[in-house]
Amino acid sequence: MAEIAAQPFAFAFRPETTALIVIDMQRDFAEPGGFGASLGNDVSRVTAIVPTVKRLIEGFRAAGLPVIHTMECHKPDLSDLPPAKRDRGNPSIRIGDVGPMGRVLIAGEPGTAILDELAPLPGE
């Protein structure tokens, strides 16, 4: 067992069964003008956690533990996007629409890119 100093008590874990999963830290969710902002989200709350996420990633890398990044994105033809997901809510732009960072949440568009400061290394 390994242990991380934490509050209110130390966190014990087994390194061989531990990985860090970094979920959807993408421009479309974290930057003004992106999809998150179009939903009415305060994207400054996302950017506020970036330094902490960066420290976690660095710590896992230094310990030789796996880091896994996820990205929400869809095919350009939207064949993998259920209509109910595209049509929910009342955003100013919808998934697949052209926004300030290209087509919103479409694979390969600039908005789907993971934030530079959290970008995966080869193999992550």
Side-chain angles (χ1 to χ4, degrees):
M1 280 290 198
E3 196 171 272
I4 296 173
Q7 294 296 327
F9 48 82
F11 176 74
F13 66 98
R14 293 181 20 210
E16 65 275 9
T17 61
T18 302
L20 176 64
I21 302 174
V22 183
I23 300 173
D24 300 347
M25 293 302 294
Q26 297 163 247
R27 294 184 63 211
D28 259 332
F29 295 122
E31 293 181 3
F35 184 61
S38 80
L39 296 171
N41 296 337
D42 176 1
V43 296
S44 69
R45 296 179 69 150
V46 176
T47 55
I49 68 164
V50 169
T52 301
V53 175
K54 183 177 180 179
R55 283 193 308 275
L56 279 169
I57 291 171
E58 290 169 348
F60 269 70
R61 288 173 178 161
L65 296 171
V67 178
I68 300 165
H69 299 263
T70 71
M71 293 173 53
E72 181 180 354
C73 56
H74 299 277
K75 295 178 180 179
D77 67 1
L78 304 180
S79 62
D80 60 346
L81 177 64
K85 184 175 179 183
R86 177 168 160 78
D87 296 338
R88 72 177 174 220
N90 190 24
S92 59
I93 52 176
R94 296 186 182 279
I95 297 171
D97 290 349
V98 176
M101 293 179 261
R103 290 184 67 207
V104 174
L105 294 180
I106 300 300
E109 294 288 335
T112 61
I114 293 175
L115 298 170
D116 287 343
E117 52 268 64
L118 304 177
L121 295 179
E124 292 183 345

